[in-house]
Amino acid sequence: MQIYSKTDVGKMRNTNQDAYVSFELDVSTAFAIVCDGMGGANAGNIASENAVKIISRYVKRSYRNNMDVIGISSLLKSAIISANIELYDMALKNPDMNGMGTTVVVAIVRENSAVICHAGDSRAYLISGDSIAQLTTDHSMVQSLVESGKLTPEQAKVHPRKNVITRALGAEENVMADCCVINMVKGDTLLLCSDGLTNYVDIKDILKIVKNNNISDVAQILTSTANSNGGGDNITVVTVTA
């Protein structure tokens, strides 16, 4: 299992409200999480950093290597619920944190499978051979409009409210995460990222970069490419290769 990561403030922001963690749970299991915070002042930083800490701590404490994919899905959902409760309570107690929240995309990769859960518009992709597949569906206003037929995917990319998300940790008392289970074979790469990557690097270019470079360099190259294309947001990339 190879794990690489990179985060960058981008060219337009003064602070980085993205947060991430990636590590091995055991010799055949990897854990990765990316959160993209929102809210005034430092609230976005607080939301994303605390979500990463709470979820990773919960997983470290509760993960067992005899869990099946159903058990891992339940574990990740419970960790996300726990983080949401803590963030929501923090915001209630501190007026400066009112309206704060964070996206989350989190994965546990073990041998030939991966379990991915998410809320918001941070994404997961699977790169396998010559193909790339988006594994998550954005919880966003424009995605809802695309699904209802009111916008085309091309229109959604340039819509003025494309960054308005419909689910976030800490924003409401309850949050629902979507989860999926995928099969992986040796050489496949799972990529988690914030929208600072996907808003500035086309999916076809993500595939080219992963295919044509050493996997240890991919996160850095993707981040640099997003900055070269405008760098209008914080950028975070984590890759896990089976």
PDB file of all heavy atoms in Angstrom, residues 15-41:
ATOM      1  N   THR A  15      -5.505  31.754   3.829  1.00  0.00           N
ATOM      2  CA  THR A  15      -5.407  30.634   4.757  1.00  0.00           C
ATOM      3  C   THR A  15      -5.854  29.361   4.069  1.00  0.00           C
ATOM      4  O   THR A  15      -6.583  29.400   3.074  1.00  0.00           O
ATOM      5  CB  THR A  15      -6.282  30.861   6.013  1.00  0.00           C
ATOM      6  OG1 THR A  15      -7.655  31.009   5.594  1.00  0.00           O
ATOM      7  CG2 THR A  15      -5.844  32.107   6.767  1.00  0.00           C
ATOM      8  N   ASN A  16      -5.417  28.244   4.609  1.00  0.00           N
ATOM      9  CA  ASN A  16      -5.807  26.945   4.077  1.00  0.00           C
ATOM     10  C   ASN A  16      -6.863  26.333   4.992  1.00  0.00           C
ATOM     11  O   ASN A  16      -6.569  25.962   6.127  1.00  0.00           O
ATOM     12  CB  ASN A  16      -4.590  26.022   3.979  1.00  0.00           C
ATOM     13  CG  ASN A  16      -4.884  24.774   3.160  1.00  0.00           C
ATOM     14  OD1 ASN A  16      -6.046  24.440   2.915  1.00  0.00           O
ATOM     15  ND2 ASN A  16      -3.837  24.081   2.742  1.00  0.00           N
ATOM     16  N   GLN A  17      -8.103  26.259   4.497  1.00  0.00           N
ATOM     17  CA  GLN A  17      -9.183  25.690   5.284  1.00  0.00           C
ATOM     18  C   GLN A  17      -9.400  24.213   4.978  1.00  0.00           C
ATOM     19  O   GLN A  17     -10.336  23.612   5.499  1.00  0.00           O
ATOM     20  CB  GLN A  17     -10.477  26.479   5.054  1.00  0.00           C
ATOM     21  CG  GLN A  17     -10.382  27.916   5.576  1.00  0.00           C
ATOM     22  CD  GLN A  17     -11.731  28.604   5.671  1.00  0.00           C
ATOM     23  OE1 GLN A  17     -12.691  28.239   5.001  1.00  0.00           O
ATOM     24  NE2 GLN A  17     -11.814  29.600   6.527  1.00  0.00           N
ATOM     25  N   ASP A  18      -8.529  23.631   4.150  1.00  0.00           N
ATOM     26  CA  ASP A  18      -8.528  22.187   3.962  1.00  0.00           C
ATOM     27  C   ASP A  18      -7.750  21.525   5.096  1.00  0.00           C
ATOM     28  O   ASP A  18      -6.838  22.124   5.680  1.00  0.00           O
ATOM     29  CB  ASP A  18      -7.843  21.803   2.644  1.00  0.00           C
ATOM     30  CG  ASP A  18      -8.679  22.129   1.423  1.00  0.00           C
ATOM     31  OD1 ASP A  18      -9.806  22.635   1.573  1.00  0.00           O
ATOM     32  OD2 ASP A  18      -8.182  21.873   0.302  1.00  0.00           O
ATOM     33  N   ALA A  19      -8.108  20.284   5.394  1.00  0.00           N
ATOM     34  CA  ALA A  19      -7.346  19.471   6.344  1.00  0.00           C
ATOM     35  C   ALA A  19      -7.404  18.030   5.874  1.00  0.00           C
ATOM     36  O   ALA A  19      -8.369  17.609   5.226  1.00  0.00           O
ATOM     37  CB  ALA A  19      -7.910  19.608   7.753  1.00  0.00           C
ATOM     38  N   TYR A  20      -6.374  17.269   6.199  1.00  0.00           N
ATOM     39  CA  TYR A  20      -6.354  15.861   5.793  1.00  0.00           C
ATOM     40  C   TYR A  20      -5.464  15.065   6.742  1.00  0.00           C
ATOM     41  O   TYR A  20      -4.633  15.610   7.464  1.00  0.00           O
ATOM     42  CB  TYR A  20      -5.835  15.712   4.360  1.00  0.00           C
ATOM     43  CG  TYR A  20      -4.331  15.853   4.256  1.00  0.00           C
ATOM     44  CD1 TYR A  20      -3.499  14.747   4.306  1.00  0.00           C
ATOM     45  CD2 TYR A  20      -3.737  17.118   4.151  1.00  0.00           C
ATOM     46  CE1 TYR A  20      -2.120  14.876   4.244  1.00  0.00           C
ATOM     47  CE2 TYR A  20      -2.366  17.261   4.079  1.00  0.00           C
ATOM     48  CZ  TYR A  20      -1.566  16.138   4.126  1.00  0.00           C
ATOM     49  OH  TYR A  20      -0.210  16.276   4.079  1.00  0.00           O
ATOM     50  N   VAL A  21      -5.646  13.752   6.715  1.00  0.00           N
ATOM     51  CA  VAL A  21      -4.765  12.813   7.396  1.00  0.00           C
ATOM     52  C   VAL A  21      -4.756  11.540   6.553  1.00  0.00           C
ATOM     53  O   VAL A  21      -5.787  11.154   5.984  1.00  0.00           O
ATOM     54  CB  VAL A  21      -5.240  12.498   8.833  1.00  0.00           C
ATOM     55  CG1 VAL A  21      -4.591  11.227   9.365  1.00  0.00           C
ATOM     56  CG2 VAL A  21      -4.916  13.634   9.783  1.00  0.00           C
ATOM     57  N   SER A  22      -3.620  10.886   6.483  1.00  0.00           N
ATOM     58  CA  SER A  22      -3.538   9.582   5.829  1.00  0.00           C
ATOM     59  C   SER A  22      -2.490   8.749   6.551  1.00  0.00           C
ATOM     60  O   SER A  22      -1.434   9.262   6.927  1.00  0.00           O
ATOM     61  CB  SER A  22      -3.181   9.721   4.350  1.00  0.00           C
ATOM     62  OG  SER A  22      -1.983  10.451   4.176  1.00  0.00           O
ATOM     63  N   PHE A  23      -2.797   7.474   6.770  1.00  0.00           N
ATOM     64  CA  PHE A  23      -1.868   6.596   7.477  1.00  0.00           C
ATOM     65  C   PHE A  23      -2.301   5.144   7.286  1.00  0.00           C
ATOM     66  O   PHE A  23      -3.399   4.859   6.785  1.00  0.00           O
ATOM     67  CB  PHE A  23      -1.809   6.937   8.971  1.00  0.00           C
ATOM     68  CG  PHE A  23      -3.142   6.965   9.668  1.00  0.00           C
ATOM     69  CD1 PHE A  23      -3.775   5.799  10.091  1.00  0.00           C
ATOM     70  CD2 PHE A  23      -3.777   8.184   9.911  1.00  0.00           C
ATOM     71  CE1 PHE A  23      -4.996   5.844  10.742  1.00  0.00           C
ATOM     72  CE2 PHE A  23      -5.006   8.234  10.562  1.00  0.00           C
ATOM     73  CZ  PHE A  23      -5.613   7.051  10.974  1.00  0.00           C
ATOM     74  N   GLU A  24      -1.430   4.223   7.716  1.00  0.00           N
ATOM     75  CA  GLU A  24      -1.753   2.803   7.682  1.00  0.00           C
ATOM     76  C   GLU A  24      -2.372   2.388   9.015  1.00  0.00           C
ATOM     77  O   GLU A  24      -1.823   2.674  10.076  1.00  0.00           O
ATOM     78  CB  GLU A  24      -0.507   1.971   7.402  1.00  0.00           C
ATOM     79  CG  GLU A  24       0.023   2.098   5.984  1.00  0.00           C
ATOM     80  CD  GLU A  24       1.163   1.135   5.697  1.00  0.00           C
ATOM     81  OE1 GLU A  24       1.702   0.563   6.666  1.00  0.00           O
ATOM     82  OE2 GLU A  24       1.510   0.956   4.522  1.00  0.00           O
ATOM     83  N   LEU A  25      -3.520   1.719   8.945  1.00  0.00           N
ATOM     84  CA  LEU A  25      -4.119   1.138  10.146  1.00  0.00           C
ATOM     85  C   LEU A  25      -3.417  -0.157  10.513  1.00  0.00           C
ATOM     86  O   LEU A  25      -3.301  -0.499  11.688  1.00  0.00           O
ATOM     87  CB  LEU A  25      -5.609   0.881   9.909  1.00  0.00           C
ATOM     88  CG  LEU A  25      -6.521   2.108   9.971  1.00  0.00           C
ATOM     89  CD1 LEU A  25      -7.875   1.801   9.342  1.00  0.00           C
ATOM     90  CD2 LEU A  25      -6.696   2.584  11.405  1.00  0.00           C
ATOM     91  N   ASP A  26      -2.989  -0.910   9.515  1.00  0.00           N
ATOM     92  CA  ASP A  26      -2.127  -2.074   9.696  1.00  0.00           C
ATOM     93  C   ASP A  26      -1.386  -2.287   8.383  1.00  0.00           C
ATOM     94  O   ASP A  26      -1.489  -1.463   7.467  1.00  0.00           O
ATOM     95  CB  ASP A  26      -2.914  -3.317  10.152  1.00  0.00           C
ATOM     96  CG  ASP A  26      -4.013  -3.731   9.185  1.00  0.00           C
ATOM     97  OD1 ASP A  26      -3.776  -3.700   7.961  1.00  0.00           O
ATOM     98  OD2 ASP A  26      -5.114  -4.099   9.641  1.00  0.00           O
ATOM     99  N   VAL A  27      -0.660  -3.381   8.252  1.00  0.00           N
ATOM    100  CA  VAL A  27       0.215  -3.559   7.088  1.00  0.00           C
ATOM    101  C   VAL A  27      -0.558  -3.676   5.780  1.00  0.00           C
ATOM    102  O   VAL A  27       0.005  -3.441   4.703  1.00  0.00           O
ATOM    103  CB  VAL A  27       1.117  -4.802   7.262  1.00  0.00           C
ATOM    104  CG1 VAL A  27       2.124  -4.569   8.379  1.00  0.00           C
ATOM    105  CG2 VAL A  27       0.289  -6.050   7.535  1.00  0.00           C
ATOM    106  N   SER A  28      -1.851  -4.022   5.832  1.00  0.00           N
ATOM    107  CA  SER A  28      -2.619  -4.186   4.604  1.00  0.00           C
ATOM    108  C   SER A  28      -3.818  -3.244   4.528  1.00  0.00           C
ATOM    109  O   SER A  28      -4.677  -3.414   3.655  1.00  0.00           O
ATOM    110  CB  SER A  28      -3.119  -5.634   4.482  1.00  0.00           C
ATOM    111  OG  SER A  28      -3.966  -5.970   5.570  1.00  0.00           O
ATOM    112  N   THR A  29      -3.858  -2.228   5.401  1.00  0.00           N
ATOM    113  CA  THR A  29      -5.029  -1.347   5.465  1.00  0.00           C
ATOM    114  C   THR A  29      -4.604   0.111   5.571  1.00  0.00           C
ATOM    115  O   THR A  29      -3.784   0.465   6.425  1.00  0.00           O
ATOM    116  CB  THR A  29      -5.924  -1.696   6.673  1.00  0.00           C
ATOM    117  OG1 THR A  29      -6.207  -3.097   6.668  1.00  0.00           O
ATOM    118  CG2 THR A  29      -7.226  -0.916   6.624  1.00  0.00           C
ATOM    119  N   ALA A  30      -5.171   0.943   4.698  1.00  0.00           N
ATOM    120  CA  ALA A  30      -4.877   2.376   4.715  1.00  0.00           C
ATOM    121  C   ALA A  30      -6.126   3.172   5.058  1.00  0.00           C
ATOM    122  O   ALA A  30      -7.250   2.775   4.722  1.00  0.00           O
ATOM    123  CB  ALA A  30      -4.353   2.814   3.353  1.00  0.00           C
ATOM    124  N   PHE A  31      -5.907   4.290   5.719  1.00  0.00           N
ATOM    125  CA  PHE A  31      -6.977   5.230   6.069  1.00  0.00           C
ATOM    126  C   PHE A  31      -6.615   6.585   5.487  1.00  0.00           C
ATOM    127  O   PHE A  31      -5.460   7.025   5.558  1.00  0.00           O
ATOM    128  CB  PHE A  31      -7.121   5.340   7.587  1.00  0.00           C
ATOM    129  CG  PHE A  31      -8.044   6.440   8.032  1.00  0.00           C
ATOM    130  CD1 PHE A  31      -9.413   6.232   8.104  1.00  0.00           C
ATOM    131  CD2 PHE A  31      -7.548   7.688   8.386  1.00  0.00           C
ATOM    132  CE1 PHE A  31     -10.277   7.242   8.519  1.00  0.00           C
ATOM    133  CE2 PHE A  31      -8.399   8.705   8.804  1.00  0.00           C
ATOM    134  CZ  PHE A  31      -9.770   8.471   8.864  1.00  0.00           C
ATOM    135  N   ALA A  32      -7.608   7.272   4.901  1.00  0.00           N
ATOM    136  CA  ALA A  32      -7.377   8.616   4.370  1.00  0.00           C
ATOM    137  C   ALA A  32      -8.637   9.442   4.508  1.00  0.00           C
ATOM    138  O   ALA A  32      -9.749   8.932   4.356  1.00  0.00           O
ATOM    139  CB  ALA A  32      -6.947   8.548   2.905  1.00  0.00           C
ATOM    140  N   ILE A  33      -8.456  10.722   4.796  1.00  0.00           N
ATOM    141  CA  ILE A  33      -9.588  11.643   4.932  1.00  0.00           C
ATOM    142  C   ILE A  33      -9.189  13.015   4.431  1.00  0.00           C
ATOM    143  O   ILE A  33      -8.060  13.470   4.666  1.00  0.00           O
ATOM    144  CB  ILE A  33     -10.074  11.710   6.401  1.00  0.00           C
ATOM    145  CG1 ILE A  33     -11.257  12.673   6.557  1.00  0.00           C
ATOM    146  CG2 ILE A  33      -8.950  12.071   7.351  1.00  0.00           C
ATOM    147  CD1 ILE A  33     -11.899  12.634   7.932  1.00  0.00           C
ATOM    148  N   VAL A  34     -10.116  13.682   3.728  1.00  0.00           N
ATOM    149  CA  VAL A  34      -9.942  15.064   3.288  1.00  0.00           C
ATOM    150  C   VAL A  34     -11.182  15.840   3.691  1.00  0.00           C
ATOM    151  O   VAL A  34     -12.309  15.403   3.444  1.00  0.00           O
ATOM    152  CB  VAL A  34      -9.749  15.158   1.758  1.00  0.00           C
ATOM    153  CG1 VAL A  34      -9.780  16.616   1.298  1.00  0.00           C
ATOM    154  CG2 VAL A  34      -8.437  14.498   1.340  1.00  0.00           C
ATOM    155  N   CYS A  35     -10.986  16.998   4.323  1.00  0.00           N
ATOM    156  CA  CYS A  35     -12.079  17.888   4.707  1.00  0.00           C
ATOM    157  C   CYS A  35     -11.796  19.289   4.187  1.00  0.00           C
ATOM    158  O   CYS A  35     -10.650  19.745   4.209  1.00  0.00           O
ATOM    159  CB  CYS A  35     -12.234  17.940   6.230  1.00  0.00           C
ATOM    160  SG  CYS A  35     -12.847  16.406   6.965  1.00  0.00           S
ATOM    161  N   ASP A  36     -12.841  19.965   3.746  1.00  0.00           N
ATOM    162  CA  ASP A  36     -12.738  21.324   3.201  1.00  0.00           C
ATOM    163  C   ASP A  36     -13.678  22.213   4.005  1.00  0.00           C
ATOM    164  O   ASP A  36     -14.895  22.113   3.884  1.00  0.00           O
ATOM    165  CB  ASP A  36     -13.122  21.296   1.724  1.00  0.00           C
ATOM    166  CG  ASP A  36     -13.040  22.658   1.049  1.00  0.00           C
ATOM    167  OD1 ASP A  36     -12.745  23.652   1.742  1.00  0.00           O
ATOM    168  OD2 ASP A  36     -13.284  22.727  -0.169  1.00  0.00           O
ATOM    169  N   GLY A  37     -13.108  23.066   4.840  1.00  0.00           N
ATOM    170  CA  GLY A  37     -13.908  23.852   5.776  1.00  0.00           C
ATOM    171  C   GLY A  37     -14.558  25.067   5.157  1.00  0.00           C
ATOM    172  O   GLY A  37     -14.112  25.590   4.133  1.00  0.00           O
ATOM    173  N   MET A  38     -15.630  25.514   5.802  1.00  0.00           N
ATOM    174  CA  MET A  38     -16.312  26.738   5.372  1.00  0.00           C
ATOM    175  C   MET A  38     -16.729  27.510   6.621  1.00  0.00           C
ATOM    176  O   MET A  38     -16.894  26.953   7.703  1.00  0.00           O
ATOM    177  CB  MET A  38     -17.548  26.409   4.531  1.00  0.00           C
ATOM    178  CG  MET A  38     -18.601  25.618   5.291  1.00  0.00           C
ATOM    179  SD  MET A  38     -19.996  25.174   4.257  1.00  0.00           S
ATOM    180  CE  MET A  38     -21.150  24.581   5.504  1.00  0.00           C
ATOM    181  N   GLY A  39     -16.880  28.830   6.462  1.00  0.00           N
ATOM    182  CA  GLY A  39     -17.277  29.674   7.582  1.00  0.00           C
ATOM    183  C   GLY A  39     -16.357  30.867   7.706  1.00  0.00           C
ATOM    184  O   GLY A  39     -15.230  30.854   7.209  1.00  0.00           O
ATOM    185  N   GLY A  40     -16.836  31.899   8.382  1.00  0.00           N
ATOM    186  CA  GLY A  40     -16.068  33.133   8.509  1.00  0.00           C
ATOM    187  C   GLY A  40     -14.888  33.004   9.438  1.00  0.00           C
ATOM    188  O   GLY A  40     -14.757  32.044  10.199  1.00  0.00           O
ATOM    189  N   ALA A  41     -14.012  34.000   9.396  1.00  0.00           N
ATOM    190  CA  ALA A  41     -12.823  34.073  10.248  1.00  0.00           C
ATOM    191  C   ALA A  41     -12.058  32.755  10.165  1.00  0.00           C
ATOM    192  O   ALA A  41     -11.711  32.309   9.085  1.00  0.00           O
ATOM    193  CB  ALA A  41     -13.207  34.422  11.678  1.00  0.00           C
TER     194      ALA A  41
END
